[in-house]
Amino acid sequence: MIREARKEDVNSILQIINESNRKSFSQVIPKEYFRQPILTLEDLLQDFEKMKFLVYEENGLPIGVAGFYVKPEEGVCRIRWFSVHPEYQGRGIGSKMMEFLQNEAKKLGLRKMRVVTLREAYWAVNFYSKCGYREVERIPRPWGTDVVLEKEL
Ligand SMILES: CC(C)(COP(=O)(O)OP(=O)(O)OC[C@H]1O[C@@H](n2cnc3c(N)ncnc32)[C@H](O)[C@@H]1OP(=O)(O)O)[C@@H](O)C(=O)NCCC(=O)NCCS
């Protein structure tokens, strides 16, 4: 089941984001730049004020999460913190969350989805490409290259 996240989901959300991030990004980000954990409870609570979160729940437990916020003046839905717990990856959960999120954006009258990831994160670039996202910009960073990916709805 996919549903809007509630405040009581914050600890599960934090665990999903931090564990999936540590397992995947530690392979591609140089040690000196690899921040651990990527997200603190304090930061997540601040994000809860600024954006909405969806969770994918299985047997009563959140195992996937997607944050998003809207830039109404651009008609764009910006995706943040899109993650599936490492034990549940590769089972189509991310694809289902993406479909749900895009439908929510359409209902809000938005025309475009946007996400930023790291070019070196080949699994994420593959995932977004499979979902129909195309690269629109590259931004060099000391730890790699950010890629901005977009999809018209
Ligand atoms: C990216 C992520 C959300 C995908 O979720 P998922 O539930 O595993 O994705 P799905 O099972 O729906 O996979 C859909 C497609 O994504 C691609 N993909 C997913 N995992 C992949 C991997 N490890 N390597 C290469 N491609 C991958 C494939 O094209 C896959 O299609 P296929 O199964 O037909 O080959 C998940 O791997 C994750 O949380 N990763 C760590 C955090 C992260 O990188 N988040 C995004 C960065 S902003």
Side-chain angles (χ1 to χ4, degrees):
M1 173 176 84
I2 299 173
R3 60 167 174 82
E4 193 170 323
R6 302 183 285 262
K7 271 276 165 67
E8 54 267 36
D9 296 317
V10 287
N11 285 315
S12 306
I13 292 175
L14 200 61
Q15 199 194 12
I16 296 166
I17 293 173
N18 282 330
E19 289 195 10
S20 62
N21 179 276
R22 187 178 56 232
K23 194 154 181 243
S24 303
F25 286 88
S26 60
Q27 301 168 40
V28 294
I29 294 184
K31 270 201 187 74
E32 62 270 33
Y33 294 109
F34 191 62
R35 183 155 57 94
Q36 211 39 64
I38 185 76
L39 189 63
T40 62
L41 181 59
E42 200 188 0
D43 291 339
L44 180 59
L45 290 173
Q46 274 180 22
D47 279 356
F48 246 73
E49 304 298 321
K50 291 185 269 181
M51 59 180 101
K52 280 196 175 175
F53 284 87
L54 298 175
V55 291
Y56 186 101
E57 189 181 280
E58 201 172 87
N59 300 323
L61 265 186
I63 54 173
V65 59
F68 66 101
Y69 61 95
V70 171
K71 291 204 153 182
E73 68 282 7
E74 296 176 18
V76 174
C77 179
R78 279 283 309 258
I79 303 173
R80 282 283 280 156
W81 302 124
F82 199 102
S83 316
V84 173
H85 190 283
E87 283 170 33
Y88 299 90
Q89 289 172 8
R91 285 179 22 185
I93 292 171
S95 305
K96 284 186 197 144
M97 291 201 307
M98 182 60 84
E99 216 175 296
F100 191 97
L101 182 52
Q102 289 171 178
N103 281 333
E104 290 300 294
K106 273 188 211 163
K107 281 190 219 158
L108 292 170
L110 301 172
R111 300 185 318 270
K112 201 184 270 186
M113 305 293 293
R114 183 178 298 151
V115 67
V116 181
T117 192
L118 201 63
R119 201 166 91 88
E120 290 77 5
Y122 60 89
W123 62 89
V125 174
N126 253 7
F127 170 73
Y128 293 122
S129 303
K130 182 117 196 249
C131 293
Y133 287 69
R134 296 290 163 257
E135 183 180 320
V136 294
E137 198 183 345
R138 283 187 188 190
I139 307 159
R141 305 284 187 198
W143 51 87
T145 304
D146 275 351
V147 277
V148 183
L149 301 154
E150 287 186 351
K151 178 179 179 173
E152 303 287 334
L153 291 172

